[in-house]
């Protein structure tokens, strides 16, 4: 490869290529579509398609695909070649504006949650010009939205784009009220920090649980785990370094700004963070990053585990969502400003987020709810399932001064008045200390830390964007009618702080006492599992808010709730079935063989010395036989619980049975197996141990 700047974005049809290959008028018209959401003309689309095809074919592409994000949580693509027969018997490479703008894949095999009757199997994909097309292998990939024939969203991108539009609309109203006439657009940006594990392919292949479920379902704790904290930021092993170099190159070629990489807390755990970008681009790129991580890992003899909790007793993997909002001219609206007016505006946006997080705790929680992430949240390594916010001492003191009308600590002894006072400069370093908060202000952005490593970032940002749009809407409604702008503003900010102070918590989020305080005294929600959280999507206040901003229709909301719960039930059922299979086909026979060999050894010894007690063998045989019986009984119980699902009516009820009956029985089966593992000779145990898995990568 050439130098990084030469290679960066070489596989992306980005602004540089557009400018070089499109006529001035076409380029400007396309830019207006990208920057301002102006509708695209078919003649422009034709010209763009032609240039895109030429660019892609020059780089070896033979096919194109509408690349989209169905509700499976991963990406989908169906390849069509550019070829078209020519009269002389040969082919020419063709690609029209129509093909660029719209595709019609058969939608019948993607989850729709009842939105699309199977007789209307067709769905369509629509080009998202705000996310650049790129080449993967021999295919030009065009980022698209995916809808049913009736126009209902069947994907994650469509509501994400709508939520960005909602936020843009309401934020512009606020900016106009503060006298900003220049800003044309307000966008939200995200930098997602991606955590993952690497294990060797050899070990991975030997574990059905990893292959079918992405996480281990059995496994005794290794003698050494993460106790010594010797992995975090530690020296990166040569094999992992080679993987990271390769990964960076591929990501850079795709225009993904992979920036930092380091070892994480757990052995074999690592993190990759890109430089932030607009949320829909960040979302596309994060999906692509996860895909490429797995591809590159395979080339290095590794498997990249993106599951939230691959190993019990070892930290799981999350995805911190660093979120901010800014204007098209680059003004970060979550950054305290220089003038009193800018500061008042900053405080209003801050309040909008505080109100949004408190009013829609449930939506934020459920936006990250999956069977996998349920193992992480609240497990004393990741934020609890209770949503709260951390602002830092300084900002908190400012808010308190405003709320109580008392002087701000340390400053001149006078009351703080918006529109008059310049806020004290915040020291950014003081805001980033709290690592246990689910939602932390980090100087000029918020870090939402509840996302699981395999989650698409779309859902969390749909909720965040829309909930903040809703706060801004209520503010703008009032301010637009206000006689005295400053008075109204001051009163509104004060009221928000007073009404929503309960959501702000600067202490230790991992502390049990906090969960007690949060739920008992503050009345915050503690939605522990997906089964608890997901049905809240249908609460009237949530439906009202999401439909008001046209982010999701009532049908779309209902279908998403169904799909997510179905996904939860299916994932856990697959895990339960895998456990039973592993226990019966591998683990129980292994224990049996080992006790048999112990018995054989004892009787061989006794044949030489008849009255040898053989206490070691007998006591181990007794213990292992007891465990074997227990495993057998627990496997029966788990099987019965899974079989019982067939009699449950409705997906909400099924999810509850999964939570109350199936998951506890999985734990009950695991316990005797893990106990047996450390008693059975290594050669007999059918699977690589935790120690083998976690310390296998060199
Ligand atoms: P830390 O681990 O200390 O949280 P990192 O540097 O690993 O910090 O990640 C911070 C992430 O936040 C990066 O992806 C970075 O690009 C992103 N980020 C920085 N500033 C902003 C901003 N204004 N808006 C959104 N994301 C941002
Ligand atoms: Mg971070």
């Amino acid at each position: 490869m050439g130098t990084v700047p030469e290679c960066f974005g070489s596989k992306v049809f980005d602004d540089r290529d557009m400018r070089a290959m499109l006529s001035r008028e076409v380029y400007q018209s396309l830019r207006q579509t990208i920057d301002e959401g102006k509708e695209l003309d078919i003649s422009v689309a034709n010209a763009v398609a032609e240039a895109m095809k030429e660019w892609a074919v020059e780089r070896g592409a033979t096919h194109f695909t509408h690349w989209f994000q169905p509700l499976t949580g991963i990406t989908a693509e169906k390849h069509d070649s550019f070829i078209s027969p020519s009269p002389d018997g040969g082919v020419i490479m063709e690609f029209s504006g129509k093909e660029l703008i719209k595709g019609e894949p058969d939608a019948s095999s993607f989850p729709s949650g009842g939105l699309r009757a199977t007789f209307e199997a067709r769905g369509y994909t629509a080009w998202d010009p705000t996310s650049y097309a790129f080449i993967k292998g021999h295919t030009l990939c065009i980022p698209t939205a995916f809808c049913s024939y009736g126009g209902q969203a069947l994907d994650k991108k469509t509501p994400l784009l709508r939520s960005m539009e909602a936020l843009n609309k309401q934020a512009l109203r606020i900016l106009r009220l503060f006298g900003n006439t220049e800003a044309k657009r307000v966008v939200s940006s995200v930098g997602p920090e991606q955590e993952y594990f690497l294990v060797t392919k050899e070990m991975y292949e030997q574990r059905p649980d990893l292959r079918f479920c992405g996480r281990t379902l059995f496994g005794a704790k290794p003698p050494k785990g993460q106790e010594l904290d010797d992995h975090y930021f530690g020296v990166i092993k040569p094999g992992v370094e080679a993987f990271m170099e390769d990964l960076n190159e591929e990501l850079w070629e795709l225009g993904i700004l992979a920036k930092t990489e380091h070892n994480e807390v757990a052995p074999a755990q690592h993190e990759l963070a890109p430089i932030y970008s607009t949320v829909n681009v960040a979302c596309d790129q994060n999906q692509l990053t996860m895909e490429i991580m797995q591809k590159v890992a395979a080339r290095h003899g590794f498997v990249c585990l993106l599951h939230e909790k691959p190993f019990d007793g070892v930290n799981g993997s999350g995805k911190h969502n660093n979120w901010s909002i800014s204007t098209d001219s680059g003004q970060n609206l979550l950054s305290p400003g220089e003038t009193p007016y800018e500061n008042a505006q900053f405080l209003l946006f801050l309040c909008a987020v505080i109100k949004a997080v408190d009013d829609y705790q449930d939506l934020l929680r459920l936006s990250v709810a999956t069977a996998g992430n349920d193992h992480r949240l609240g497990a004393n390594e990741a934020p609890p399932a209770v949503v709260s916010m951390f602002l830092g001492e300084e900002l908190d003191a400012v808010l308190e001064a405003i709320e109580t009308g008392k002087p701000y600590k340390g400053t001149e002894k006078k009351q703080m008045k918006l529109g008059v006072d310049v806020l004290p400069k915040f020291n950014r370093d003081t805001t980033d200390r709290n690592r246990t908060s689910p939602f932390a202000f980090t100087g000029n952005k918020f870090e939402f830390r509840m996302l699981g490593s395999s989650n698409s970032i779309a859902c969390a940002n749909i909720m965040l964007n829309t909930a903040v749009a809703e706060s801004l809407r209520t503010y703008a409604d009032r301010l637009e009618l206000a006689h005295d702008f400053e008075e109204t503003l001051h009163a509104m900010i004060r009221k928000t702080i007073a009404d929503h102070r309960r959501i702000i918590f600067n202490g230790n989020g991992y502390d049990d006492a906090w969960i007690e305080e949060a739920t008992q005294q503050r009345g915050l929600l503690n939605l522990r599992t997906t089964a608890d959280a997901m049905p809240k999507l249908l609460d009237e206040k949530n439906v009202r808010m999401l439909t008001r901003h046209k982010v999701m229709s009532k049908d779309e909301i209902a279908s998403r709730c169904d799909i997510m719960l179905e996904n939860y039930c299916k994932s856990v059922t697959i895990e339960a079935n895998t456990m039973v299979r592993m226990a019966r086909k591998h683990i129980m026979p292994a224990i049996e063989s080992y006790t048999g060999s112990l018995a054989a050894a004892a009787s061989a010894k006794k044949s030489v010395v008849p009255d040898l007690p053989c206490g070691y063998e007998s006591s181990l045989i007794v213990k292992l036989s007891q465990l074997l019986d227990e495993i057998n009984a627990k496997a029966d119980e788990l099987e019965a619980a899974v079989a019982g699902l067939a009699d449950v009516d409705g997906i909400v009820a099924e999810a509850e049975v999964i939570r109350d009956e199936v998951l506890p029985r999985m734990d009950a089966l695991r316990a005797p197996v893990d106990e047996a593992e450390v008693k059975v000779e290594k050669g007999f145990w059918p699977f690589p141990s935790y120690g083998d898995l976690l310390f296998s990568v060199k």
Side-chain angles (χ1 to χ4, degrees):
M1 100 164 212
T3 64
V4 175
E6 275 163 20
C7 292
F8 187 81
S10 60
K11 292 192 173 167
V12 187
F13 189 69
D14 59 21
D15 194 64
R16 296 171 298 181
D17 300 296
M18 290 178 189
R19 212 180 320 208
M21 297 190 68
L22 299 172
S23 73
R24 221 184 122 75
E25 299 84 75
V26 170
Y27 173 76
Q28 274 172 353
S29 168
L30 180 61
R31 269 293 12 139
Q32 277 186 332
T33 302
I34 296 173
D35 298 334
E36 293 157 39
K38 196 187 137 248
E39 213 166 306
L40 195 84
D41 192 81
I42 185 70
S43 64
V44 173
N46 278 329
V48 176
E50 183 58 30
M52 231 186 228
K53 179 207 71 190
E54 219 170 281
W55 172 87
V57 169
E58 230 167 66
R59 283 156 183 78
T62 52
H63 289 66
F64 70 92
T65 183
H66 276 199
W67 184 77
F68 59 101
Q69 297 164 34
L71 295 167
T72 52
I74 52 174
T75 59
E77 45 196 82
K78 174 186 145 229
H79 299 179
D80 278 301
S81 80
F82 289 121
I83 60 166
S84 161
S86 63
D88 60 1
V91 291
I92 50 167
M93 303 296 255
E94 268 188 354
F95 186 47
S96 68
K98 205 166 146 260
E99 287 171 304
L100 168 63
I101 295 179
K102 193 169 172 187
E104 297 197 356
D106 183 342
S108 56
S109 296
F110 294 106
S112 75
L115 274 186
R116 175 194 33 67
T118 25
F119 60 85
E120 280 182 73
R122 274 181 180 284
Y124 68 89
T125 48
W127 179 34
D128 168 16
T130 60
S131 182
Y132 296 137
F134 56 91
I135 295 175
K136 206 173 61 173
H138 294 286
T139 305
L140 170 69
C141 300
I142 298 150
T144 54
F146 178 45
C147 297
S148 76
Y149 224 75
Q152 289 127 327
L154 296 175
D155 70 347
K156 305 211 171 194
K157 185 190 271 275
T158 307
L160 182 61
L161 291 170
R162 292 175 187 159
S163 75
M164 292 171 74
E165 195 46 51
L167 183 61
N168 169 52
K169 187 172 158 193
Q170 303 303 333
L172 280 178
R173 286 177 71 195
I174 299 288
L175 291 184
R176 298 288 181 259
L177 284 161
F178 277 88
N180 181 334
T181 51
E182 267 117 66
K184 286 192 191 135
R185 251 187 120 66
V186 170
V187 290
S188 48
S189 300
V190 164
E193 300 166 55
Q194 177 73 48
E195 291 182 342
Y196 60 97
F197 280 85
L198 286 179
V199 296
T200 63
K201 189 154 172 32
E202 191 199 338
M203 302 280 171
Y204 172 89
E205 290 295 348
Q206 297 174 52
R207 300 226 26 154
D209 46 3
L210 285 180
R211 282 192 285 124
F212 296 135
C213 313
R215 73 170 179 117
T216 56
L217 300 168
F218 298 107
K221 308 230 169 346
K224 175 183 190 295
Q226 60 194 50
E227 304 79 359
L228 297 176
D229 289 328
D230 52 356
H231 193 255
Y232 191 56
F233 281 24
V235 176
I236 298 173
K237 292 179 182 154
V240 176
E241 191 166 359
F243 158 82
M244 286 176 170
E245 273 173 26
D246 215 3
L247 175 63
N248 281 337
E249 275 178 32
E250 289 223 10
L251 295 177
W252 289 336
E253 283 177 355
L254 284 166
I256 298 173
L257 291 153
K259 171 89 173 158
T260 42
E261 54 196 20
H262 58 78
N263 287 356
E264 261 301 329
V265 175
Q269 193 185 30
H270 311 279
E271 181 187 291
L272 180 143
I275 296 174
Y276 67 98
S277 48
T278 328
V279 53
N280 71 318
V281 172
C283 180
D284 286 359
Q285 294 194 336
N286 181 250
Q287 293 296 124
L288 209 48
T289 300
M290 292 194 284
E291 183 185 324
I292 290 170
M293 275 177 161
Q294 286 169 324
K295 192 182 87 182
V296 174
R299 272 209 308 263
H300 288 257
F302 300 145
V303 174
C304 172
L305 302 177
L306 290 168
H307 194 282
E308 283 76 21
K309 192 73 180 174
F311 306 100
D312 193 39
V314 173
N315 272 11
S317 302
K319 177 145 53 193
H320 292 174
N321 189 81
N322 294 275
W323 177 92
S324 67
I325 33 183
S326 52
T327 64
D328 53 337
S329 61
Q331 186 197 0
N332 181 346
L333 300 173
L334 295 178
S335 207
E338 302 288 335
T339 67
Y341 247 54
E342 280 171 4
N343 277 325
Q345 185 184 297
F346 159 74
L347 280 173
L348 189 65
F349 278 100
L350 184 75
C351 281
V353 181
I354 295 171
K355 178 174 158 59
V357 173
D358 189 27
D359 285 343
Y360 300 100
Q361 297 161 46
D362 45 1
L363 289 181
L364 290 177
R365 168 65 184 96
L366 70 87
S367 74
V368 302
T370 58
N373 212 17
D374 283 356
H375 295 293
R376 215 182 121 249
L377 299 176
N380 288 329
E381 52 163 68
V386 175
V387 177
S388 69
M389 289 175 94
F390 171 81
L391 297 179
E393 261 175 48
E394 272 196 284
L395 204 46
D396 210 36
V398 170
L399 296 190
E400 190 172 322
I402 295 170
E403 186 191 349
T404 58
K406 294 208 183 98
Y408 176 68
K409 60 152 191 186
T411 56
E412 316 96 83
K413 298 265 177 260
K414 62 171 187 170
Q415 224 178 288
M416 251 174 98
K417 190 86 182 15
L418 292 163
V420 184
D421 292 317
V422 179
L423 287 179
K425 277 258 175 289
F426 308 123
N427 183 356
R428 252 204 233 173
D429 293 338
T430 61
T431 59
D432 199 13
R433 294 277 162 73
N434 191 321
R435 292 259 153 210
T436 65
S437 174
F439 203 98
F441 184 66
T442 50
N444 61 355
K445 63 184 191 304
F446 279 97
E447 186 167 337
F448 184 29
R449 300 190 175 125
M450 287 172 92
L451 286 78
S453 48
S454 70
N455 285 166
S456 156
I457 65 167
C459 304
N461 289 293
I462 291 168
M463 298 310 173
L464 196 48
N465 287 340
T466 317
V468 172
E470 172 64 7
S471 308
L472 294 173
R473 181 192 70 82
T474 60
Y475 293 162
D477 281 355
R478 230 165 309 156
L479 286 172
E480 278 166 1
L481 299 176
H483 297 299
D484 185 335
F485 179 77
E486 272 176 35
E487 268 311 314
T488 312
L489 179 67
H490 191 89
M492 248 169 41
I493 288 181
R494 223 170 139 160
K495 182 165 161 39
T496 301
I497 299 167
D499 289 352
H500 300 286
R501 179 160 279 287
R502 66 169 187 167
I503 197 78
I504 296 165
F505 175 61
N506 292 335
N508 180 5
Y510 294 179
D511 201 341
D512 288 339
W514 160 238
I515 304 302
E516 165 104 14
E517 179 188 333
T519 52
Q520 302 306 311
Q521 287 149 45
R522 301 193 185 207
L524 298 178
L525 291 168
N526 184 16
L527 302 168
R528 286 187 39 255
T529 69
T530 303
D532 300 297
M534 204 54 74
K536 298 268 177 214
L537 184 56
L538 306 178
D539 280 6
E540 204 199 317
K541 78 166 187 14
N542 295 333
V543 173
R544 205 180 325 124
M545 191 274 283
L546 290 165
T547 51
R548 165 179 274 146
H549 293 277
K550 302 198 165 48
V551 169
M552 286 190 229
S553 68
K554 216 171 161 186
D555 289 347
E556 287 169 348
I557 293 169
S559 77
R560 255 148 239 260
C561 180
D562 265 21
I563 291 169
M564 296 310 288
L565 284 172
E566 229 168 67
N567 192 299
Y568 171 75
C569 294
K570 282 183 189 160
S571 310
V572 178
T573 305
I574 292 169
E575 290 182 346
N577 289 334
T578 305
M579 278 186 106
V580 171
R581 190 71 64 86
M582 284 171 82
R584 294 215 189 283
K585 286 188 78 89
H586 302 277
I587 294 165
M588 294 164 70
I591 298 173
E592 190 74 347
S593 301
Y594 181 58
T595 42
S597 86
L598 284 171
S603 71
K605 286 204 265 182
K606 276 179 195 282
S607 72
V608 179
V609 186
D611 49 5
L612 206 61
C614 290
Y616 165 69
E617 289 88 349
S618 349
S619 67
L620 197 48
I621 288 170
V622 170
K623 181 70 202 166
L624 285 174
S625 300
Q626 284 168 347
L627 286 172
L628 196 53
D629 286 343
E630 195 183 335
I631 292 168
N632 188 38
K634 299 297 174 197
D636 283 346
E637 285 173 26
L638 179 55
E639 259 178 323
V642 172
L645 290 172
D647 304 326
V648 182
D649 254 355
I651 195 68
V652 175
E654 189 178 336
E656 284 166 0
V657 175
I658 290 273
R659 176 194 63 197
D660 301 334
E661 308 290 334
V662 179
L663 282 164
R665 283 181 176 74
M666 286 166 61
D667 289 340
L669 172 57
R670 178 176 182 144
V673 170
D674 289 358
E675 197 181 335
E677 183 184 338
V678 293
K679 298 192 185 322
V680 171
E681 191 204 307
K682 192 167 174 57
F684 281 83
W685 199 254
F687 310 118
S689 68
Y690 268 28
D692 297 335
L693 285 162
L694 289 167
F695 296 96
S696 66
V697 170
K698 295 285 175 277

